[in-house]
Every structure is written in structure tokens, then in C-alpha cells.
Amino acid sequence: MRHIAIIGSGPAGYYTAEAAQKLWGDDVRIDIFDRLPVPYGLIRFGVAPDHQSIKGVSRRYEKTALTDNVRFVGNVAIGEDVTIAELQQFYDAIVLATGAPRDRELAVPGNDLGNVYGSAEFVGWYNGHPQFADLAPDLSGRTAVVIGMGNVALDVVRILSKTRDEFAGSDIVNHALDALTASPIERIVILGRRGPHQISMTPKELGELMELEQASPQVETADLPDEAEDAILEPGLRKSVAHLRSFAAIRRAIHGEKRIAIEFDFFASPVALLGDGRVEAVEVERTEVVKGRAQGTGETYRIPASLVVTCIGYRTAPIEGVPFDERMGRFANDEGRILDGLYCVGWARRGPTGTIGTNRPDGFGLVELIAADMESGKLGRQGKRGREGFDKLAADRGLDIVTFQDWKKIEEAEHSAAREGSPREKFIAIEQMIAAKGS
Ligand code: NAP
């Protein structure tokens, strides 16, 4: 019997479990740990609340979760409640699927001013993550600056722009829905340090800006390269740039009809955040793109801003004793192997790139690597105690473990509490989740 511990119950964790289950069938026991009492990580707390069809992938993870040899072990923080070294006594292989939950820091003066948030915090707030649910960003100002031109920036811009009606069917938490829809915001500037050909926004997500009821995307025609130059772009990016061109073309027609302007500011690198205690403006340097890189031109200007959200990428949270690549912000690893018997997968392995689906081949590839290590004898003799050993340790330590059946009770309570048309009202405090599972 093989015993595998997977740390993290997001997409990378569940795809890895699915792969292990497919390969070894009844010859494997898999425990999926999560520090929270609820599963699915990024699906619950990262994917935008108005993208319910993407969240539907959790049904696939549930299928894996409900197989006999896979177990959810919620409310246990590995590295705090239990160490990796302790897990190594019980499991043949440990897989860190902990994602990249920390914000990359925008290293400019003023980044610690009030009402400046990283996207992990801001997205965590509107998605009801217990760590960020009481963030209480002040949305009473009129201009927000969103830094970065990736899909997370698009999520944040869209969520800041929607009307209450447009959130119908979403699972945005009530506190965020109320704050967002009461906001008088009328200008959202998206800053990109490079140009339209260097954005990381995908076409479908960019196209959604055109459908917003009260906001219109605006692009300056002068920022767009000559259309013939689009031919060299890969097809997805070419489609995204086509959207930017249509934003530039329609600008005059709809400008004025809609309350909120979403302005794309290209070749614009933030150099300082200004304000007295809380942010009031962003100082920006004009750039030009030289050999694909942004270079400052020395010309600067200021954008008034009462709220700043940086959407410039994420870092994995280190775990004591596990080798970490500081520069890349993820575990130090070779194709997923950190040390013999200790592995990483998903964003914790490769950094915060790719779609949810990218984690599937990642998980399947990692299980092949673990299988090869087992075959070659690298992982030592089998015969560890697996979950039985862990359960004894957890009982001795008085850990209040949340099982998948407990989660189903929590989920049921969330369904019952949903406002009309919404799939669920999430519990935002760990104590509420624990109370909902009962004893
Ligand atoms: P991303 O796609 O890597 O975009 C990060 C953006 O931040 C880039 O435009 C980057 O510009 C910019 N940036 C980085 N450092 C900066 C700095 N110091 N100053 C100014 N700008 C800076 O990351 P993401 O948006 O966080 O998304 C993470 C992953 O999740 C991506 O693979 C994304 O596609 C995926 N995702 C998908 C969806 C969806 O499919 N609906 C939704 C959300 C996220 P440079 O290019 O110049 O470095």
C-alpha cells in the first residue's frame, strides 16, 4: 500500500489525487490536507464570483474526493499544527499543492499607504476568504488604479464596475456586494508597464468589458501599434489586441453614456504611491518597450487615486525546512521533486501561470515521477502507517479535523443561506464553518 499526503485542496491537489487514484487504484491511500475547513482553494477563493461556470470544475474534484481511497483532512495547517517531518513518518510521498497565495510586492515608495491592496487581499475580500474578509477597503472615492495587465487585473476591474443586477447568479459575499454597489467610483485606470502587444489578458475575459452595463473600456488609438504588426502575434494575443482596437474605435460612441470609464494606460510604470497615511495618487513614469522590456523615459505624471489594487502576480508561502527559491517565489524543485519523497505541483511548482486546466497534466506528470521514484527505491521501503499514524497524532494533539462529509454539511448551510439567485452565501469565519459542521 502506498500512502500519499497532498497539502492543499485546490485544482493542483485534486488533479494529483485523481492521477494517483487512476494509476494505483486500490493500492493507494491519499489524504488531502487543507488549513481551512473548506476545500477547493483557488476555485472558491480565487476564481471570480461572477465566473460560476469555471467554478463548476469543483464537481470533478468532488468525484475524486468521494472515492474510498481519497480523504479530505480540513482545518489542519501543515507547517504549524503538524510539521512536514512528522508527515514523513507516515506517508511515502508528500506533495505540496499549496498554490501561490501571497502577493508579489510592488517595490515602490508608498506601497504601505492605506487603501493600497494586493490582488490576493482584494480578491480574497470579495470572495470571502477568512484571512481577508474584514479587509474593508474604502470604496468611497471616485478613481481607482489597478496595476498590471493580466486576467486578475481584469477580474478586479470587472468586479469594481458591475451593478447589483449584474452580480445576480454570482456567489460574491454580501459584505462585498453591498460595498461595491454603493461605490461612486467613476474612473478605473489599468496601468501596464508595457504596450498592447505585451498584455497577458485573454480574449474572452477582455471581451467581457464590452458587456458591462455601466462601464466602458477606453483605449487611446495612438497607443496601438500599426495593425499590420498584429500578424506576428500568437492567435490568442492577436484576438485580445483586436478587442483593444475595438475599444479604441467605439470610444466616442459610448463615452458619456456610461458612468464608469475603464481607461487602459499603456507604457506606464508606477514609480511611487503618494498620500498622507492613505493613497491619494500614483506617480507614473512613461516607458518605451525596448527588446520586449519596459524602459523608463524620465517623463512622469500623476494619476489621482483613492484606491490602488496591484495585480502583478503571486508567491508561494514558504514552509519551514522546505527549500525555497526566493527569486521565483516558489519551492526550489526539479520538475516537481524538492527532495526524495517531497514534491510540489501546480503554482507551488511552476509559479502563478496558466489556466486551471494546466494543473491537470501537471498533477498527472508528477504522479509519474513519484511512481518512478518508488520503482527505483528512492523512497525507501514501503509499509508506513499512513492515515492511521496521522490520525493518532491528530487525536493526541486535539486537532479538530474537518472531513469531506463535514464539508458537505457546511456547504448545505451555505446553500440555505444564499440570497435569491445566488448559489451560496459563504461563511467568512472559520468558527462559523466549524459550527455549521456540528460535532
Ligand atoms: P499575469 O498574467 O502574470 O499578469 C501580471 C501583470 O502584472 C503583467 O501585465 C505584468 O507586466 C504586470 N507586472 C508585474 N510586475 C509589475 C510591476 N512591478 N509593475 C507593473 N506591472 C507589473 O498574472 P495574473 O493576472 O496574476 O494571473 C495569474 C494567472 O492566473 C495567469 O495565468 C492568468 O491567466 C490566470 N487567470 C486566469 C483567469 C481566467 O482565465 N479567467 C482569471 C484570473 C487569472 P509584464 O508583462 O510587463 O511583466
Side-chain angles (χ1 to χ4, degrees):
M1 180 62 70
R2 298 158 177 84
H3 298 285
I4 298 189
I6 296 175
I7 321 303
S9 67
Y14 269 108
Y15 285 127
T16 304
E18 183 189 326
Q21 219 266 333
K22 283 213 162 110
L23 183 65
W24 289 305
D26 282 344
D27 286 336
V28 67
R29 295 283 176 276
I30 303 154
D31 283 355
I32 303 185
F33 292 87
D34 205 296
R35 63 163 54 243
L36 291 175
V38 292
Y40 306 143
L42 182 93
I43 303 299
R44 180 176 168 108
F45 296 114
V47 171
D50 58 343
H51 279 171
Q52 286 299 313
S53 59
I54 300 180
K55 286 183 193 267
V57 72
S58 61
R59 283 191 289 275
R60 179 186 188 123
Y61 308 150
E62 178 163 318
K63 242 177 100 187
T64 302
L66 290 172
T67 50
D68 287 342
N69 48 0
V70 177
R71 187 172 81 149
F72 175 68
V73 188
N75 204 31
V76 177
I78 302 302
E80 295 166 29
D81 297 326
V82 179
T83 65
I84 296 279
E86 284 168 327
L87 286 187
Q88 279 169 328
Q89 297 168 33
F90 309 126
Y91 297 90
D92 301 303
I94 296 169
V95 179
L96 304 177
T98 49
R102 296 199 176 161
D103 282 303
R104 265 192 63 204
E105 188 191 58
L106 180 69
V108 302
N111 65 1
D112 56 347
L113 285 170
N115 235 27
V116 176
Y117 302 106
S119 50
E121 297 173 294
F122 195 74
V123 171
W125 168 71
Y126 63 63
N127 268 334
H129 191 295
Q131 194 184 343
F132 305 114
D134 57 4
L135 196 71
D138 181 354
L139 305 180
S140 65
R142 295 192 184 268
T143 304
V145 171
V146 174
I147 299 173
M149 287 205 178
N151 282 335
V152 171
L154 279 179
D155 282 345
V156 167
V157 166
R158 197 179 64 255
I159 296 297
L160 281 170
S161 305
K162 281 197 162 180
T163 61
R164 187 170 273 270
D165 282 354
E166 284 175 289
F167 281 113
S170 81
D171 66 352
I172 190 164
V173 288
N174 276 328
H175 66 238
L177 180 65
D178 291 343
L180 286 159
T181 53
S183 169
I185 199 159
E186 54 193 26
R187 182 178 184 220
I188 304 171
V189 180
I190 316 182
L191 285 189
R193 61 181 170 182
R194 298 190 289 159
H197 275 189
Q198 287 86 29
I199 58 171
S200 303
M201 297 161 162
T202 47
K204 182 174 160 290
E205 285 65 28
L206 200 49
E208 284 178 73
L209 296 188
M210 287 287 280
E211 289 151 26
L212 294 171
E213 260 174 43
Q214 62 175 358
S216 66
Q218 302 184 2
V219 167
E220 292 292 342
T221 309
D223 285 336
L224 294 164
D226 197 58
E227 200 163 343
E229 294 177 30
D230 293 0
I232 54 158
L233 302 176
E234 60 84 20
L237 182 55
R238 199 182 316 141
K239 271 193 205 156
S240 290
V241 173
H243 279 303
L244 296 177
R245 292 191 185 283
S246 67
F247 298 167
I250 53 134
R251 178 182 174 173
R252 255 177 226 99
I254 62 168
H255 186 48
E257 273 175 35
K258 303 213 177 180
R259 187 168 73 78
I260 303 174
I262 300 171
E263 299 173 20
F264 283 76
D265 198 350
F266 296 103
F267 309 104
S269 182
V271 289
L273 306 183
L274 310 170
D276 183 9
R278 51 183 294 146
V279 71
E280 289 161 26
V282 181
E283 183 152 294
V284 177
E285 180 175 15
R286 267 280 160 255
T287 63
E288 52 191 15
V289 176
V290 180
K291 292 193 180 139
R293 296 179 69 92
Q295 267 184 17
T297 61
E299 179 197 341
T300 60
Y301 59 99
R302 284 179 186 187
I303 305 170
S306 47
L307 168 73
V308 171
V309 185
T310 63
C311 305
I312 61 170
Y314 300 103
R315 291 170 66 82
T316 291
I319 297 179
E320 211 184 309
V322 179
F324 196 75
D325 181 338
E326 279 298 334
R327 196 176 64 82
M328 301 302 288
R330 61 186 191 211
F331 295 116
N333 75 93
D334 179 14
E335 301 290 323
R337 187 190 295 109
I338 303 174
L339 301 165
D340 288 347
L342 180 62
Y343 305 86
C344 56
V345 69
W347 281 9
R349 174 180 86 78
R350 61 176 202 278
T353 59
T355 63
I356 289 161
T358 314
N359 295 300
R360 190 165 189 273
D362 211 351
F364 277 69
L366 183 74
V367 165
E368 277 176 28
L369 180 75
I370 296 174
D373 282 357
M374 283 177 170
E375 290 266 299
S376 72
K378 262 192 181 157
L379 306 193
R381 59 168 186 91
Q382 281 177 14
K384 292 192 176 176
R385 287 164 68 206
R387 57 180 64 162
E388 182 212 321
F390 172 80
D391 287 351
K392 170 146 190 351
L393 177 91
D396 290 349
R397 220 159 264 186
L399 300 180
D400 189 5
I401 287 172
V402 174
T403 65
F404 202 79
Q405 286 63 36
D406 293 334
W407 150 245
K408 294 304 285 178
K409 286 190 212 154
I410 299 171
E411 187 182 39
E412 210 177 291
E414 290 189 337
H415 288 162
S416 310
R419 59 181 177 268
E420 211 187 321
S422 170
R424 66 187 67 78
E425 182 60 33
K426 292 177 192 165
F427 291 117
I428 55 173
I430 289 174
E431 304 76 57
Q432 294 171 330
M433 298 170 184
I434 299 290
K437 86 175 169 73
S439 47

